[in-house]
Amino acid sequence: MKSSYDIIITPVLTEKSYAQISDKKYTFKVDVRANKYQIKAAIEEVFGVKVDSVHTMQYDGKVRRVGRTVGKTNRYKKAIVKLTADSKTIDFFDNIG
C-alpha cells in the first residue's frame, strides 16, 4: 500500500483551479493507479480536512516530436476534491498568490 504522500503528486495551480477554491474545491495531480477512496483518505490525512467528494480525470500523454524522434509525454490523473462545508480550508492554497 502506498503512503499518502505517494498518492498526491502535486497541486494544480491554474486560473481555473484558483476560481474553484472559493467553492472549497481543490485540484491535484495524483497517482494514476489510485482510486477515489485512496485519494480521499490521502487528502484527509495529509491536510487534516474533511472531504465531501472526489472527481477524477485520466489524461493520456501527448505526442511530442524533437527532430525526427517521436515520443509521448507521461499520462497522468487529476483529481478535484470538494471539502465539506464545516471543514477548514487547505492552508497551502491560502498562502499562494
Side-chain angles (χ1 to χ4, degrees), residues 1-9 30-34 38 41-42 45:
M1 178 118 182
K2 291 187 161 236
S3 76
S4 298
Y5 292 97
D6 292 332
I7 292 174
I8 303 168
I9 297 173
V30 295
D31 187 6
V32 291
R33 295 163 294 197
Q38 292 170 333
E45 181 183 336

Side-chain angles (χ1 to χ4, degrees), residues 4-21:
S4 298
Y5 292 97
D6 292 332
I7 292 174
I8 303 168
I9 297 173
T10 182
V12 176
L13 306 172
T14 61
E15 198 170 328
K16 188 173 182 179
S17 67
Y18 279 130
Q20 294 180 334
I21 289 176

Side-chain angles (χ1 to χ4, degrees), residues 30 34-36 39 54-59 77-80:
V30 295
N35 60 33
K36 291 183 179 186
I39 295 168
V54 177
H55 296 278
T56 58
M57 292 144 275
Q58 300 246 5
Y59 291 92
K77 185 182 235 184
K78 188 166 78 168
I80 298 176

Side-chain angles (χ1 to χ4, degrees), residues 5 11 22 27 36 38 53 58 60 66 70 72-73 80 96:
Y5 292 97
S22 61
T27 309
K36 291 183 179 186
Q38 292 170 333
S53 64
Q58 300 246 5
D60 291 331
V66 178
V70 178
K72 287 186 92 175
T73 59
I80 298 176
I96 297 174

